[in-house]
Amino acid sequence: MTNFYSFHGTITMINDFFTGQNGEGCFNLVSVDNGLGALVNFVVSPNTYFVDHVMMSVGDQVTGYYDGNAPAPLIYPPQYQAIVMVKNSPYQNVKVDYFNTELESSDGRLRLNISPYTQIVLTNGQHFSRTPANRDLIVIYGPTTKSIPAITTPYRIIVLC
């Protein structure tokens, strides 16, 4: 179970990130500004999952998810290893979190109601045949109830194995 944290804002810069190994050009440093004076640099690697496999560019509104328990260098602006990047859209909501046996998120804000039309896939796009309960998930959904927790029938669930 990963302790997912997120940071939302506008991409202000995308640069190559040199690791000192033979991976030059494979890593990027993406600077995100939330418009309130906070800035975060995300290290984007080949393992970072981009929802809908979109190409991001300077000026895009994004949300980056990272492991809040992972070690991070004590520098300013903070620098985190991006696990999931989402280009924000008014047509869909995205939640990255651990979902328990009741398919409720770890923060207790969202509960999933799986329908036969809900796509459940792995990060490589292949079908996931087991239950998504008790796993780290990327949930793509639309409208929710106004209850606590909010209940939704997701469009797609991506299982983070």
Side-chain angles (χ1 to χ4, degrees):
M1 177 175 132
T2 305
N3 189 14
F4 289 101
Y5 283 47
S6 66
F7 187 82
H8 167 79
T10 304
I11 295 177
T12 58
M13 185 174 50
I14 301 174
N15 290 326
D16 282 343
F17 182 75
F18 297 103
T19 60
Q21 301 170 358
N22 196 16
E24 280 79 19
C26 295
F27 292 79
N28 288 58
L29 192 65
V30 177
S31 298
V32 179
D33 184 346
N34 73 353
L36 301 172
L39 182 68
V40 164
N41 287 330
F42 285 108
V43 176
V44 175
S45 75
N47 295 327
T48 302
Y49 184 80
F50 284 80
V51 172
D52 296 328
H53 304 288
V54 296
M55 185 71 64
M56 295 193 181
S57 58
V58 172
D60 287 344
Q61 292 287 316
V62 299
T63 302
Y65 292 88
Y66 59 96
D67 184 351
N69 293 336
L74 294 173
I75 58 175
Y76 184 82
Q79 181 173 296
Y80 303 116
Q81 184 78 24
I83 298 171
V84 177
M85 293 294 289
V86 179
K87 185 174 179 179
N88 299 336
S89 164
Y91 307 110
Q92 69 183 14
N93 301 304
V94 177
K95 178 138 183 106
V96 180
D97 206 345
Y98 174 83
F99 286 80
N100 64 19
T101 56
E102 303 296 319
L103 291 174
E104 187 173 310
S105 62
S106 66
D107 62 5
R109 293 184 178 189
L110 186 65
R111 182 175 291 158
L112 308 180
N113 180 21
I114 307 288
S115 85
Y117 302 106
T118 303
Q119 293 179 344
I120 304 175
V121 296
L122 297 168
T123 54
N124 63 8
Q126 299 304 303
H127 176 70
F128 183 74
S129 60
R130 305 234 175 200
T131 177
N134 295 318
R135 296 182 183 272
D136 292 330
L137 305 175
I138 303 169
V139 179
I140 301 167
Y141 62 99
T144 65
T145 63
K146 294 191 185 294
S147 60
I148 299 176
I151 300 170
T152 190
T153 303
Y155 304 139
R156 188 168 28 135
I157 296 173
I158 300 140
V159 180
L160 296 171
C161 289

